[in-house]
Amino acid sequence: MPFCQTSKANIYFEIIGTGIPIIMLHGFTPDHRLMKGCMEPIFLEQEGWKRIYFDLPGMGKTTNYSSIQNSDEMLEVVHEFIQAMIPDESYLLVGESYGGYLARGIMRTSAERLLGAAFICPLIVPEKEQRTVPEHCVVSSDHAFLATLSQQELEDFQSNQVVLDAYNWKRYTTEILVGCSIADHAFLEKIQQSYGFSFAVDEQSFAKPALFLLGRQDSVVGYEDAFMILKKYPRATFAIVDSAGHNLQIEQPELFTNLTSEWLDRVEAEQGRHNQNDKK
């Protein structure tokens, strides 16, 4: 299995495709399969992108991370990983939930190398009690299918998704739960004690193609807090999607694919303009 040794963790990773690198940052507790499950279908129609998936410390197959104490040190590890994998290349970032928080930490010091950034239900406010979130609600249910689940499965599904049917259950279990089941929960509890960075993460602007995908029914990180940083992203598409909770990429797959594909098209167009200007 491929691993990348950093100073504080041995990072498991997978690379698919060739071309411009895209660093994929999953959320807190699942593993790289969350990102792989929603992003790979996009590249059935897109060429020229090297997708770099990896497991954050305490999640998935990554090992030797016990010395990490907080999100600052998690960010250091991600920086090291990126530098080791693509030391001199420009690249894109895609971050989901906590991965979206880490992505903005990376952008703070590496914006000149970035060609674009996309955020899926990003964590904006690390302090849970300070977030603006809606009450959890279920938008639609397939009651015949739900009757086939055990009581424990049903309770977990209902508490984490807002669209409850066989399609969502299959993807929820194969992309989310598989990672959660092997996470180091004791380690992650330690990180949550110092969940926020020790520095302000959203002070600078990012004037390159960006995308924010926010679930209207996201009761984990919400959508309203993202408005606080909207002005920092003058080239961002900002979508608040109905019938979508914190796993928007699963509950609204067509919108997710279409908007993410359009973001990649904008990145390509921007690169084309720069290349033409360089030749003048």
Side-chain angles (χ1 to χ4, degrees):
M1 290 189 295
F3 285 87
C4 175
Q5 184 65 57
T6 68
S7 63
K8 293 181 183 292
N10 194 26
I11 303 292
Y12 173 81
F13 68 92
E14 294 182 11
I15 297 178
I16 304 175
T18 59
I20 298 172
I22 308 178
I23 299 293
M24 308 286 191
L25 289 148
H26 65 80
F28 204 76
T29 311
D31 62 17
H32 75 280
R33 286 172 285 190
L34 183 154
M35 298 301 295
K36 192 175 177 181
C38 65
M39 294 299 296
E40 279 308 297
I42 292 167
F43 299 102
L44 297 174
E45 305 292 335
Q46 292 266 359
E47 296 182 351
W49 306 101
K50 179 167 69 175
R51 291 88 72 189
I52 303 174
Y53 300 96
F54 69 104
D55 291 336
L56 289 169
M59 294 160 264
K61 298 175 183 175
T62 287
T63 63
N64 302 336
Y65 49 78
S66 59
S67 66
I68 297 172
Q69 301 298 316
N70 49 50
S71 286
D72 282 13
E73 294 182 4
M74 291 280 273
L75 181 62
E76 290 173 17
V77 168
V78 175
H79 268 299
E80 283 187 45
F81 173 75
I82 294 172
Q83 189 60 26
M85 299 300 293
I86 46 171
D88 301 312
E89 295 179 73
S90 296
Y91 63 97
L92 284 69
L93 285 171
V94 181
E96 185 269 346
S97 193
Y98 182 66
Y101 187 58
L102 291 173
R104 301 201 312 283
I106 295 164
M107 294 168 71
R108 183 172 173 266
T109 56
S110 303
E112 71 285 347
R113 288 179 61 190
L114 290 174
L115 304 176
F119 304 93
I120 310 162
C121 301
L123 172 68
I124 305 296
V125 178
E127 299 80 10
K128 193 171 183 178
E129 64 280 0
Q130 295 180 22
R131 300 173 195 167
T132 304
V133 299
E135 291 285 334
H136 178 71
C137 69
V138 172
V139 175
S140 64
S141 301
D142 179 343
H143 296 288
F145 168 73
L146 295 180
T148 69
L149 301 180
S150 70
Q151 186 62 31
Q152 183 176 349
E153 289 173 334
L154 179 60
E155 289 177 2
D156 179 70
F157 195 29
Q158 287 178 329
S159 63
N160 287 288
Q161 297 278 119
V162 305
V163 178
L164 309 180
D165 57 25
Y167 171 85
N168 278 272
W169 172 251
K170 181 179 180 181
R171 288 193 61 184
Y172 175 62
T173 55
T174 58
E175 298 172 28
I176 310 293
L177 290 185
V178 286
C180 295
S181 67
I182 60 173
D184 183 342
H185 294 280
F187 170 80
L188 296 180
E189 287 176 11
K190 177 182 72 172
I191 299 301
Q192 282 189 309
Q193 300 307 307
S194 301
Y195 206 41
F197 295 134
S198 63
F199 52 86
V201 71
D202 292 309
E203 291 186 326
Q204 69 181 47
S205 294
F206 183 73
K208 296 175 184 177
L211 173 65
F212 281 79
L213 295 174
L214 309 163
R216 183 65 177 81
Q217 288 81 29
D218 186 343
S219 60
V220 178
V221 302
Y223 67 90
E224 292 184 55
D225 291 333
F227 283 106
M228 295 188 296
I229 64 173
L230 176 59
K231 290 183 179 179
K232 300 290 186 180
Y233 295 84
R235 293 289 314 283
T237 292
F238 199 85
I240 302 167
V241 182
D242 185 36
S243 296
H246 195 54
N247 293 319
L248 174 153
Q249 74 279 6
I250 293 175
E251 293 173 321
Q252 286 282 13
E254 290 187 17
L255 270 175
F256 174 81
T257 297
N258 290 339
L259 288 168
T260 306
S261 296
E262 190 275 337
W263 166 67
L264 291 171
D265 290 343
R266 284 190 285 130
V267 172
E268 281 193 318
E270 188 79 359
Q271 288 306 108
R273 282 191 287 270
H274 283 308
N275 293 337
Q276 286 180 348
N277 290 335
D278 290 342
K279 293 176 183 177
K280 291 180 180 178

